[in-house]
Amino acid sequence: MKKVVKTIAALALLVVGFFALTMSTSTTASAASNKSYNQIYKVAKSHLGARYVYGATGPSAFDCSGFTSYIYKKGAKTTLPRTAQAQYNHYKHVSYKHIKKGDLVFFGWSKGSISHVGMYIGKGKMIDAQNRGVVREAVHAPWWHAVGYARVTTD
C-alpha cells in the first residue's frame, strides 16, 4: 500500500512540475512577442506622416505593403512578402475576436482580391500607409472593407 501511495505522489509531482514548466515557457514566449511588437511599432510610429507613393518601400515614402514590409524588417528582422495579397496568403489567419497587436489587417473585395494592408495597434486601430500617407486610423472605417487578419511569426 505504501508503495502505491509513493508512486501516486511521485506522479502527481511530475504532473505539477510539467505544468509549471509549461506555464513559465509560455509566459516567456509572450514577453518576447511583446518586445518584438514594441520594436515594430516604434519603427512604424517614427514614419507617421511619410508620403504615400505606389510601389514605394521606404524610408521616406511607402505604399501599404511596402510599409508593413519595412517596419517588420527594421523592427523584427522579419522579411514579409512584397504585396498585400502575398502577405495575406503567406501567414496564418486569425479572427478579429483573436487579433493581437502586430497582426496584419487586410482589406479588399474578397480574400482573393486584397488591395490594402495595415498593422493592428490595439483598441480597434491600425497604422498604415494610404493616400493620406502613414496614419493611425480605425480598422473598421467606412472607407475600408476588412477581409481578414493574419499573425506574422517573427521567430
Side-chain angles (χ1 to χ4, degrees), residues 37 94-97 99-108 116-128 130 132 135-150:
Y37 166 75
V94 296
S95 66
Y96 185 71
K97 180 176 155 184
I99 197 168
K100 293 182 178 180
K101 292 178 180 180
D103 287 348
L104 298 178
V105 182
F106 297 93
F107 305 88
H116 187 68
V117 61
M119 183 183 75
Y120 186 71
I121 60 172
K123 298 182 181 175
K125 299 211 180 271
M126 67 176 173
I127 189 167
D128 65 323
Q130 42 111 319
R132 295 180 294 146
V135 297
R136 283 187 205 112
E137 64 179 327
V139 168
H140 296 291
W143 49 88
W144 295 122
H145 176 251
V147 173
Y149 316 92

Side-chain angles (χ1 to χ4, degrees), residues 42-53:
K42 182 178 178 181
V43 172
K45 195 168 66 168
S46 74
H47 291 282
L48 282 168
R51 292 180 309 122
Y52 175 88
V53 174

Side-chain angles (χ1 to χ4, degrees), residues 19-69:
F19 283 113
L21 180 62
T22 303
M23 294 304 285
S24 69
T25 303
S26 66
T27 302
T28 303
S30 177
S33 173
N34 286 339
K35 181 180 178 188
S36 180
Y37 166 75
N38 289 338
Q39 283 300 113
I40 297 162
Y41 181 64
K42 182 178 178 181
V43 172
K45 195 168 66 168
S46 74
H47 291 282
L48 282 168
R51 292 180 309 122
Y52 175 88
V53 174
Y54 181 80
T57 58
S60 59
F62 300 93
D63 70 6
C64 64
S65 56
F67 180 67
T68 53
S69 294

